[in-house]
Amino acid sequence: SCGNAPGVGQKLKSFKLQSVDGKTMTNRSWGSRVLLVNFWGTWCKPCLEELPQFARLYRRYRKHGLVLVAIATDEDPEPVKEILAKSKISAKVALGGETYAGKYGSPKFPFTFVVDPSGTITAAYRGYEAKCMGKLEADIREQLEKRLESKKK
């Protein structure tokens, strides 16, 4: 069931959120990139287990067009910045995403989407399961390969 949670086939809903450094982020900020969109919170233990793994994936694939968008439910940037510094996570991090996360009706946190360059959710994960990380990486690679093919045309 890895990657087949509700949301697959839908468009990523539009958002406008503040980043931890005060900039405005929207769902259109990254053009034709493949997005790994993760909804998390500093209060969520599984989220904190998962984030460093996402950071590794991001470091491995960012040069190929992957962007890690970590949307925290937290409003206060300080605890978020502490976790990012401690975990050495480089990602596009938004704050105050609880209302936006609620639009997806997920009963579990964290939850994560792989989004293709057209904005369509191609894989969805609810909750954190270590056994799904291989499938998640395969989902990312598939979208990056499709992106590369479409650029060649």
Side-chain angles (χ1 to χ4, degrees):
S1 68
C2 294
N4 294 319
V8 175
Q10 296 176 19
K11 287 284 190 187
L12 184 69
K13 297 174 189 320
S14 61
F15 67 85
K16 185 176 181 180
L17 298 166
Q18 292 301 113
S19 69
V20 286
D21 53 10
K23 296 184 176 127
T24 300
M25 296 168 51
T26 73
N27 54 304
R28 303 211 184 274
S29 295
W30 301 284
S32 63
R33 301 275 177 84
V34 173
L35 304 181
L36 179 60
V37 181
N38 176 247
F39 294 87
W40 68 289
T42 57
W43 48 267
C44 166
K45 283 195 179 12
C47 300
L48 302 181
E49 282 181 54
E50 181 179 69
L51 274 173
Q53 295 185 53
F54 287 169
R56 278 193 293 282
L57 287 171
Y58 176 55
R59 283 192 297 274
R60 186 175 301 152
Y61 295 108
R62 67 180 164 201
K63 64 183 170 277
H64 302 290
L66 179 68
V67 176
L68 171 56
V69 182
I71 300 176
T73 58
D74 304 68
E75 302 280 339
D76 180 2
E78 291 316 310
V80 173
K81 286 179 182 178
E82 283 175 33
I83 286 170
L84 297 176
K86 217 183 292 179
S87 306
K88 296 180 176 63
I89 293 169
S90 64
K92 309 303 179 197
V93 181
L95 296 169
E98 192 159 354
T99 301
Y100 179 59
K103 291 181 178 184
Y104 292 100
S106 180
K108 284 185 173 178
F109 268 81
F111 65 98
T112 304
F113 300 134
V114 176
V115 182
D116 74 9
S118 74
T120 300
I121 297 167
T122 60
Y125 295 80
R126 303 283 167 117
Y128 168 62
E129 292 184 63
K131 68 177 185 173
C132 290
M133 292 308 289
K135 173 74 165 73
L136 176 66
E137 185 169 359
D139 290 337
I140 290 167
R141 289 177 63 100
E142 179 184 350
Q143 292 310 314
L144 291 171
E145 287 166 13
K146 285 181 180 178
R147 177 179 181 261
L148 183 63
E149 287 303 310
S150 71
K151 286 182 129 185
K152 288 179 180 175
K153 291 178 184 173

